[in-house]
């Protein structure tokens, strides 16, 4: 899935000195092909002998989905109490985020911003090419439907990630960010993300995609429904999330990106695997593990970084490999969301059964004996959904009122800042 496309060039940024003008340049990554060369059906996908395969534009968009997701997960984890800087850090961003000292002028925050805009621009390009081929009467309905699915998925994720990572008012809700030359609110961006997920669901339901090899429209529908449901949970719109729960992922299903096509490491492995130096799992998260199921779900180990000082180590996730699948969403999200919505009176069922079904996939002896509370749901989410950005979302929506929530609310930067104090004063 992670295939590098030689004909496409990733977006580049030039950090300018005054008032963060670099943010206006991020939305214009360029191609090395002209528009007429790009606007062809085989640049999107191909169908041969009933077999669906990615073309260059879609393959590159899939790659960017993985890269943007990985970098977003790590940034949000460092912003909360999941991750902290490594003992021998190489990347200042994690130090700045975990120590609440990130600044818009530091230069560390542009890489993620650039990657998210690159994903958005490439996804919108896929949608545009699909429309252009339709108007020209070129290509098949299946190729265009598939392109609309991937384009809307990528655009929805990009807008969601942008709204959940960056803000013009980093210390409080209510801010926004610059997109295509205009400041747009988080609320409007998230509403557009929902719309893209809905459009993607419509695309996978088109009859032209039924029966093709290498693509399961029903699984894609469940993946998209789960993404949309999860975003509603982030926003505290629990009734809307409950409506999507029946169409969510089933047991052992997931949406993931596989890093094995061009030798590139899974970006989360690079940060949290056995070779990690930039960032590590926080000691607080390590100490939270209390059962065999939890230790299997989040297997942690220590890597000694200095043979003469064995106390200097990084805590890494021992199950990660260089080409581990990067999970965007899976049935663990669904089980814990279902349990929470049951406790909130918005879904029928048994919260204990939902939680224990998840726990039993790791160790049946670790199952709970009493009905969980929201506080227990928050603790389980912290472990079973670790390093997916969910902890930061749970702290922002105040899933429970506790010391960790209060600490997060007191941060100077609950989002990555986009505008310096001096610029806002002008």
């Amino acid at each position: 899935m992670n295939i590098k496309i030689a004909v496409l060039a990733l977006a580049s940024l030039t950090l300018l000195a005054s008032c963060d003008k670099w943010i206006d340049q991020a939305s214009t990554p360029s191609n090395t092909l002209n528009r007429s060369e790009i606007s062809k059906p085989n640049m999107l996908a191909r169908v041969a002998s009933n077999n669906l395969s990615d073309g260059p534009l879609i393959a590159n968009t899939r790659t960017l989905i993985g890269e943007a997701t990985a970098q977003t997960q790590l940034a949000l984890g460092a912003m909360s109490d999941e991750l902290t800087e490594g003992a021998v850090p190489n990347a200042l961003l994690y130090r700045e985020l975990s120590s609440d000292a990130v600044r818009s002028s530091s230069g560390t925050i542009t890489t993620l911003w650039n990657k998210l805009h690159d994903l958005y621009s490439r996804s919108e390009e896929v949608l545009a090419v699909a429309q252009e081929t339709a108007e020209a009467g070129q290509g098949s309905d299946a190729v265009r439907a598939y392109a609309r699915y991937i384009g809307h998925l990528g655009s929805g994720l990009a807008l969601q990630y942008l709204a959940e990572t960056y803000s013009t008012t980093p210390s409080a809700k209510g801010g926004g960010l610059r997109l295509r030359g205009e400041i747009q609110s988080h609320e409007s961006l998230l509403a557009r993300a929902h719309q893209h997920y809905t459009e993607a669901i419509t695309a996978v339901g088109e009859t032209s995609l039924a029966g093709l090899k290498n693509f399961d429209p029903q699984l894609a529908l469940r993946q998209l429904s789960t993404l949309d449901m999860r975003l509603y949970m982030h926003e505290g719109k629990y009734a809307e999330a409950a409506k999507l729960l029946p169409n969510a992922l089933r047991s052992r299903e997931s949406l993931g990106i596989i890093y094995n096509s061009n030798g590139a490491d899974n970006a989360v492995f690079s940060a949290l695997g056995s070779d990690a130096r930039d960032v590590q799992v926080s000691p607080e998260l390590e100490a939270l593990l209390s059962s065999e199921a939890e230790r299997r779900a989040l297997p942690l180990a220590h890597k000694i970084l200095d043979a003469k000082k064995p106390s200097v180590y990084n805590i890494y996730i021992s199950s990660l490999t260089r080409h581990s699948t990067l999970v965007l969403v899976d049935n663990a999200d669904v089980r814990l969301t279902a349990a929470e919505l049951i406790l909130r009176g918005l879904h029928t069922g048994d919260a204990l059964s939902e939680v224990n079904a998840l726990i039993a996939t790791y160790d049946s002896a670790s199952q709970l004996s009493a009905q969980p509370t929201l506080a227990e749901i928050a603790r389980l989410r912290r472990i079973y959904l670790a390093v997916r950005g969910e902890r930061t979302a749970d702290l922002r929506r105040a899933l429970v009122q506790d010391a960790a929530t209060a600490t997060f609310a007191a941060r100077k930067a609950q989002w990555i800042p986009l505008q310096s104090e001096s610029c806002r004063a002008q």
Side-chain angles (χ1 to χ4, degrees):
M1 186 175 290
N2 187 8
I3 304 171
K4 292 296 182 184
I5 307 303
V7 298
L8 296 178
L10 297 182
S12 62
L13 294 178
T14 300
L15 183 61
L16 301 180
S18 63
C19 297
D20 302 322
K21 291 181 181 177
W22 59 271
I23 65 176
D24 288 324
Q25 296 186 330
S27 62
T28 56
S30 61
N31 291 304
T32 58
L33 295 182
N34 61 45
R35 194 67 186 183
S36 64
E37 293 172 310
I38 290 173
S39 298
K40 296 178 180 179
N42 62 4
M43 292 295 290
L44 296 170
R46 298 176 180 85
V47 177
S49 301
N50 209 38
N51 187 71
L52 177 66
S53 60
D54 293 347
L57 292 179
I58 284 181
N60 187 58
T61 301
R62 286 184 178 276
T63 296
L64 291 172
I65 288 174
E67 293 174 349
T69 296
Q71 292 189 26
T72 299
Q73 290 175 341
L74 292 168
L76 292 174
M79 191 178 295
S80 65
D81 49 15
E82 285 187 318
L83 306 176
T84 186
E85 64 174 315
V88 186
N90 293 329
L92 290 177
L93 177 60
Y94 303 120
R95 172 186 294 178
E96 293 176 351
L97 288 172
S98 62
S99 63
D100 196 17
V102 64
R103 295 173 292 111
S104 61
S105 59
S106 69
T108 63
I109 64 176
T110 59
T111 300
L112 174 59
W113 174 261
N114 182 57
K115 187 64 66 178
L116 296 180
H117 274 281
D118 199 359
L119 171 60
Y120 183 60
S121 294
R122 298 281 71 82
S123 299
E124 291 292 301
E125 183 174 65
V126 166
L127 294 173
V129 171
Q131 179 63 30
E132 290 164 11
T133 60
E135 293 172 353
Q138 300 175 338
S140 68
D141 290 341
V143 165
R144 286 190 290 273
Y146 182 61
R148 286 193 290 271
Y149 156 59
I150 294 296
H152 285 300
L153 170 61
S155 291
L157 287 169
L159 293 174
Q160 176 181 340
Y161 292 162
L162 280 165
E164 293 188 331
T165 51
Y166 288 92
S167 181
T168 55
T169 57
S171 63
K173 293 182 180 180
L177 53 90
R178 188 178 296 276
L179 182 69
R180 300 274 169 92
E182 296 180 357
I183 296 293
Q184 302 185 31
S185 69
H186 288 157
E187 291 77 13
S188 66
L189 293 172
L190 295 177
R192 288 172 59 189
H194 283 299
Q195 183 61 37
H196 277 295
Y197 294 147
T198 300
E199 293 288 346
I201 288 172
T202 299
V204 300
E206 295 191 17
T207 57
S208 60
L209 291 174
L212 291 177
K213 298 177 183 178
N214 294 338
F215 184 68
D216 183 344
Q218 291 303 310
L219 175 59
L221 182 150
R222 292 193 292 274
Q223 292 168 336
L224 291 162
S225 296
T226 306
L227 287 172
D228 205 18
M229 177 188 72
R230 186 177 66 177
L231 179 53
Y232 277 125
M233 294 297 291
H234 290 186
E235 296 175 281
K237 298 178 179 178
Y238 303 122
E240 288 88 341
K243 295 175 183 176
L244 291 165
L245 191 55
N247 294 327
L249 289 165
R250 300 170 183 171
S251 179
R252 300 186 185 280
E253 290 182 339
S254 65
L255 172 60
I257 303 295
I258 301 173
Y259 282 75
N260 62 2
S261 294
N262 70 339
D265 291 353
N266 176 335
V268 178
F269 167 80
S270 299
L272 295 175
S274 59
D275 296 338
R277 293 171 64 87
D278 295 343
V279 62
Q280 65 172 325
V281 176
S282 70
E284 293 81 9
L285 182 53
E286 181 185 35
L288 194 66
L289 305 177
S290 62
S291 71
E292 183 61 24
E294 292 171 3
R295 286 186 285 271
R296 290 178 182 178
L298 186 60
L300 301 178
H302 293 183
K303 179 178 179 63
I304 303 301
L305 299 178
D306 188 334
K308 296 181 179 180
K309 299 177 181 179
S311 61
V312 178
Y313 60 81
N314 272 8
I315 306 170
Y316 68 95
I317 301 178
S318 59
S319 61
L320 285 176
T321 63
R322 292 186 183 277
H323 303 304
S324 292
T325 299
L326 177 69
V327 175
L328 278 72
V329 67
D330 63 10
N331 187 246
D333 295 87
V334 179
R335 293 289 188 184
L336 293 172
T337 295
E340 180 180 340
L341 292 175
I342 290 169
L343 294 179
R344 293 185 183 278
L346 294 169
H347 184 63
T348 59
D350 180 43
L352 180 61
S353 296
E354 294 288 352
V355 166
N356 279 340
L358 169 59
I359 295 173
T361 61
Y362 296 97
D363 177 48
S364 59
S366 300
Q367 291 177 307
L368 304 183
S369 57
Q371 284 288 340
T373 62
L374 283 179
E376 179 66 10
I377 295 296
R379 194 187 76 83
L380 294 173
R381 287 176 60 84
R382 190 176 175 188
I383 295 167
Y384 289 97
L385 305 180
V387 196
R388 296 190 193 177
E390 292 302 288
R391 175 62 173 171
T392 301
D394 289 349
L395 291 170
R396 281 182 181 152
R397 67 186 175 105
L399 172 54
V400 295
Q401 293 289 346
D402 59 9
T405 306
T407 297
F408 184 82
R411 282 178 58 94
K412 291 183 295 183
Q414 297 172 33
W415 282 265
I416 299 174
L418 274 179
Q419 219 174 11
S420 67
E421 292 295 333
S422 60
C423 285
R424 284 202 296 270
Q426 292 179 4

